[in-house]
Structure formats: C-alpha cells, structure tokens
Amino acid sequence: MVLKDTLTEITYDAEIAGLWFEIRDTIEGIVVHIDGFNDKLLQLLEILVKTLRTCKVEQTQFDVYSREVKKKLDNARHSEPYGHVQTNTSFLNQGIMWRFMDKLAAFDLVTIDRLQLFIDSLFEQTRVQMLVTGNFEEREAVAAASMVQSLLGSRALPEYARRVPRALLHEPGVYVHHALMPEKGNVNSCVDYSVYTGMTSDHRGRVVLDLLSLIMQEPFFDQLRTKEQLGYITYSTERKYNGGHMTLRLLVQSEASPIYVRMRIDHFLREFRSRLDEMTLEKFDGYVSSLRVAREEKIKNLFEESGRMWRHVSSGYYEFDRIATDLEILRTVSQRELL
C-alpha cells in the first residue's frame, strides 16, 4: 500500500500513455504486471523496478496505511461463514499460508523501522521469473530480463531459500475440522466437503475429475438448494492443490446444523452414484462434448493468453500444452471411470 501511494503520479502518467500496471504480493514474493503499448512498456518497467528498489517509508504513510491494514484484518472476522471455511480449508491443505488471525497476532510487531529494514534487505537475494508476450522479439525480452536483474543488483537466491507453494499430503482417512465463527451473532454455518480423488500429477485422473465435477454441478444445486432449501450458497466444484491432491468440493452455507448438512451431502453422494450408473451413453457423451467445447474455447485477447501462460509458469510445472493433453485424454474417457 505504501508502494502504491509512492507510485500515484506514475499511475496517472501511465494511464494517459495507455499503459497499466499492478504490483501485488504473493506467498512467493512480489509480482509486477504491466501491459499496454509496447514502445513505452519497458520504460515503465524500469521506473517501477527502480521505485521498488529505493522505496522509503514516510511516517505519515506508515500511520495511515497501518491503520487501514489493521482495519481490513479486523473486518475479516465479519466475513460470511463460506469465506472463513474456504480460508480454513486452504490453510489445512497448503504448506505455506497466513490467515487474518495470524497476521493480527504479529501486527503490533511491525514498526516503521522494521518495515524500512525489510524493504532495504528484500532485494539482497532474488530469483526473477519473467514472461514477456506481445509485439516483442526474443532479444528484446532477454534484454528486459537483464535490465531488471541489473537494476535490482541482487545476488542469486539459493534454491533452498525458495518458497514454492505446495500442498500438504494427507494419509488416507476421514478428516474433520470444526471451527467456531469469529462473529458469534451470525446464525449461518458452512460445510466444505472435500473428496480427495488423486494427485495433480495424474493427468487422466485430472480430466476424469473435471468431467465428474461438470456432471455433478446441476443435480447437487437442484437437490440441496432448490429441493431441500438448505442454503442460498450451495455449489460443487473441483480443486487442484499445486503439487498435491485433487479434490471434489461440495460447499453449503446454511442455518441448519453442520452435522445435518453433512448427512445430506453424504446422502446425495450415494444417490448420485446410482445416477451415474444409470446414465445413458447419449447423456454421457453430451457432458463430454460440453467439457470439450469449454476446453477448446478460443482466447479472446492477449491479456487472457498471458494470464494462462503465467499460471503455468508460477505453478512450477510449465505445462503449456495442458489443454491439448486434456483434450486427447478426454477422447478416451469412459463412463465406467466415473464410478
């Protein structure tokens, strides 16, 4: 937030010039994203990297934004139950993650001197990953990466010091985590029900899970939301933890007891298995066709293409041919594999 304030004038000038940028923090580090007309893009990148490297925190900035951050963290406790349960589910499955209460516990330790010391030492050792797309030649992209490294003036970050987001591996079994809502006046509760289906490295299992999730979405909503009216927030989806498990997720926020909601989800899954067993080949082929159409959807612009490529880079798997691989597998998936 301090950095965004420092860059206010640059933000305005960039917008006038048809440029856009975003700087955000992640578990791994700092992400700088810029786009716009390519003739001024690298010049903007140079300004941003220089500002990152030399950022100084003013007392007024620190006072204003520390209050704002504290307020944001305090307000997080008032989130809806489905927000809390999703955070807790991620925390239980990811190797590195900090919840709002973890940040609040350490908040009073942050002083302007410690913040400035952190900024000054942040770039002593770095590892730079860079994706350049659009109207650039290879030599220009390589030159841009060299410019960033030169401006940072950092030593290489050792491999052991890298923080790569990875999932926790759980032994087979049933795991139940109960947590009270931070806001006691909320009458709703939420159940996030995860069925672990395999590892993300299993390409065929990944496609089968995507197909199963597609088939389940409508009947799950219809049964638990429309017919049983358990809660307005009701959905099923899939989730793939980087370097770990894949799960089929069923979420219901309801005023009913979480134990009762879980019983209804259990019942739905038993009935759904029968539905799969009785499904006609024609209907199965229709779902396969729908998933294929979704996978074959053309990228609309460079922004979407860059986002897709960056997800493959940041995951650490560099699986740029993932869609082609999934489509090839989808052609051979049988109805029996869903059972």
Side-chain angles (χ1 to χ4, degrees):
M1 299 182 78
V2 172
L3 186 62
K4 289 180 180 179
D5 183 59
T6 304
L7 292 168
T8 300
E9 292 186 11
I10 298 175
T11 302
Y12 176 76
D13 293 338
E15 290 177 353
I16 296 299
L19 304 173
W20 174 88
F21 71 88
E22 176 190 34
I23 299 176
R24 67 180 188 276
D25 62 289
T26 69
I27 292 174
E28 294 180 83
I30 295 175
V31 175
V32 179
H33 180 192
I34 61 175
D35 67 29
F37 297 111
N38 67 293
D39 58 330
K40 297 294 184 181
L41 215 56
L42 297 185
Q43 184 178 342
L44 175 60
L45 176 61
E46 181 179 358
I47 294 172
L48 293 177
V49 174
K50 284 181 178 179
T51 305
L52 275 171
R53 193 69 175 89
T54 60
C55 182
K56 299 297 181 183
V57 184
E58 301 293 336
Q59 185 65 53
T60 304
Q61 289 178 316
F62 179 81
D63 293 340
V64 170
Y65 291 118
S66 60
R67 286 195 298 269
E68 190 171 333
V69 171
K70 179 71 179 302
K71 182 179 180 181
K72 183 179 179 181
L73 293 173
D74 284 330
N75 288 339
R77 70 177 69 252
H78 304 302
S79 300
E80 287 293 315
Y82 78 91
H84 287 292
V85 80
Q86 291 184 98
T87 298
N88 284 346
T89 299
S90 296
F91 180 76
L92 294 170
N93 284 280
Q94 293 180 188
I96 303 173
M97 182 177 173
W98 295 276
R99 300 161 296 177
F100 77 90
M101 65 277 285
D102 302 320
K103 296 177 181 179
L104 277 173
F107 189 84
D108 291 337
L109 299 176
V110 181
T111 64
I112 187 171
D113 293 333
R114 285 180 171 176
L115 178 59
Q116 189 63 62
L117 180 62
F118 172 77
I119 295 172
D120 294 340
S121 61
L122 183 60
F123 299 103
E124 289 180 354
Q125 294 180 319
T126 59
R127 179 179 184 269
V128 178
Q129 287 192 118
M130 194 167 177
L131 173 66
V132 181
T133 58
N135 191 23
F136 289 97
E137 296 182 0
E138 181 181 349
R139 59 177 178 80
E140 294 174 310
V142 173
S146 298
M147 177 192 70
V148 170
Q149 290 178 314
S150 176
L151 291 172
L152 291 176
S154 310
R155 300 190 306 275
L157 182 70
E159 195 67 26
Y160 68 81
R162 289 186 59 202
R163 283 189 170 177
V164 181
R166 289 291 183 260
L168 300 175
L169 300 180
H170 304 300
E171 295 295 327
V174 178
Y175 297 88
V176 181
H177 174 73
H178 297 277
L180 296 176
M181 276 289 294
E183 188 177 28
K184 296 181 179 180
N186 197 317
V187 297
N188 286 290
S189 58
C190 187
V191 174
D192 189 349
Y193 191 117
S194 297
V195 181
Y196 291 82
T197 61
M199 302 294 292
T200 54
S201 55
D202 179 4
H203 293 181
R204 190 171 192 84
R206 181 177 69 196
V207 176
V208 172
L209 175 60
D210 288 341
L211 182 58
L212 181 62
S213 176
L214 175 65
I215 296 172
M216 183 178 288
Q217 286 174 6
E218 188 277 330
F220 181 74
F221 182 88
D222 179 60
Q223 180 62 39
L224 277 78
R225 168 66 185 93
T226 305
K227 294 178 179 176
E228 300 189 24
Q229 298 186 2
L230 286 180
Y232 285 103
I233 301 176
T234 301
Y235 64 85
S236 65
T237 184
E238 44 74 30
R239 182 162 185 173
K240 302 176 180 74
Y241 292 97
N242 201 23
H245 295 287
M246 302 181 292
T247 67
L248 180 67
R249 297 182 63 222
L250 303 100
L251 187 143
V252 178
Q253 177 173 301
S254 173
E255 293 185 14
S257 163
I259 297 176
Y260 176 74
V261 173
R262 181 188 170 183
M263 290 173 58
R264 299 312 302 162
I265 293 175
D266 285 335
H267 177 75
F268 168 81
L269 289 176
R270 289 192 294 270
E271 294 294 321
F272 183 72
R273 182 180 177 85
S274 300
R275 183 194 296 253
L276 288 177
D277 198 32
E278 297 167 0
M279 182 184 297
T280 64
L281 182 59
E282 181 182 5
K283 195 165 187 179
F284 172 76
D285 289 340
Y287 284 117
V288 171
S289 178
S290 296
L291 184 58
R292 181 183 299 111
V293 169
R295 288 290 185 271
E296 291 177 339
E297 183 178 0
K298 299 296 183 182
I299 294 175
K300 299 179 179 64
N301 49 54
L302 185 60
F303 187 86
E304 286 188 8
E305 182 181 18
S306 300
R308 177 183 293 177
M309 294 176 71
W310 183 250
R311 285 192 293 273
H312 293 311
V313 172
S314 59
S315 72
Y317 288 96
Y318 306 100
E319 195 181 358
F320 299 107
D321 60 346
R322 175 172 175 171
I323 292 179
T325 300
D326 286 358
L327 286 172
E328 187 63 31
I329 294 172
L330 186 60
R331 294 187 182 94
T332 63
V333 170
S334 67
Q335 188 171 346
R336 300 303 303 176
E337 290 181 79
L338 299 177
L339 298 174

